[in-house]
Amino acid sequence: MRTRRNSPSPGTPSSATPPTPTRRGTRRHRPAPRTPRTAHTAHSAADEETRETGRLSVADVVVRRAAENDARLGPPAAWASEALDRYPYCGLVAYVDGPDRCVVRTREGDLVRLSAATDPDGRPDLCDPAVYASALHAWLTDGHTLDAALPAITVRTGTAAHHVTVEPLPQPPPSAGSHASDSASSPRSRSAPIRSPFSS
């Protein structure tokens, strides 16, 4: 079978620019220019239950998988706040509470739900929700704003494109043990310090 000399090789994206000659006479394709609304940031992600716990201290994204009402972890928003304190170097944390959704808190304190958008036939466009969080992290670290991601983003995995809704969530009131309540002026915090029995 003969192919034309100037035809692009199989698998070359249709958006690629025309081939350019190289020194040895072979041709290669220049990559298509980036569009301004695309994120291309490399980063690392780790599941909080990993056996390689050292990865958690360097991960850009930390993920937890559990039911939304898991009593061990508390509500997703509460876990997310605590996880950002536990992992000070990560950019965002994600609580995956279903096969098509997760709750994400960014280092800036934004709280959003990422969910698989439904296809025209009503079925969700499924992909691992941890990938949704990873894509949002790439979006934000590439300099885009969260507002620019509303109401939806497209997450690409290989050749597949998954449509994901981005829904801002209300900030929950601070709980009794949260850092926000520590700085509040409560009657106990205004009283004299309690002396430890171990102090001299």
Side-chain angles (χ1 to χ4, degrees):
M1 177 168 108
R2 294 180 70 182
T3 58
R4 289 180 27 190
R5 185 177 169 124
N6 292 335
S7 63
S9 61
T12 301
S14 59
S15 61
T17 55
T20 55
T22 61
R23 276 193 264 161
R24 293 203 165 115
T26 60
R27 296 179 181 265
R28 64 184 170 94
H29 290 268
R30 282 182 254 145
R34 282 189 190 182
T35 60
R37 301 192 52 87
T38 303
H40 296 279
T41 303
H43 59 275
S44 63
D47 192 297
E48 190 177 41
E49 295 185 305
T50 182
R51 290 182 181 176
E52 299 172 27
T53 55
R55 293 184 60 210
L56 293 167
S57 63
V58 296
D60 298 302
V61 176
V62 174
V63 177
R64 180 67 183 216
R65 297 171 193 276
E68 183 176 9
N69 58 357
D70 190 325
R72 298 171 303 135
L73 304 172
W79 171 86
S81 291
E82 294 164 3
L84 283 174
D85 288 342
R86 275 193 301 277
Y87 311 112
Y89 298 108
C90 74
L92 65 77
V93 293
Y95 187 109
V96 176
D97 60 349
D100 62 342
R101 66 188 182 273
C102 64
V103 173
V104 169
R105 186 179 293 275
T106 66
R107 180 59 60 191
E108 290 73 31
D110 296 307
L111 188 67
V112 296
R113 176 170 289 285
L114 304 177
S115 304
T118 55
D119 287 338
D121 61 1
R123 286 185 271 179
D125 182 14
L126 292 179
C127 177
D128 183 354
V131 175
Y132 307 163
S134 211
L136 183 64
H137 174 73
W139 175 264
L140 295 171
T141 54
D142 257 14
H144 304 291
T145 65
L146 183 60
D147 287 341
L150 301 175
I153 58 175
T154 299
V155 177
R156 299 196 182 279
T157 56
T159 59
H162 305 278
H163 303 288
V164 178
T165 61
V166 182
E167 174 192 359
L169 295 175
Q171 296 290 337
S175 63
S178 73
H179 294 291
S181 66
D182 292 344
S183 62
S185 178
S186 66
R188 181 161 179 107
S189 65
R190 282 185 272 144
S191 63
I194 298 173
R195 187 176 175 123
S196 167
F198 301 106
S199 62
S200 53

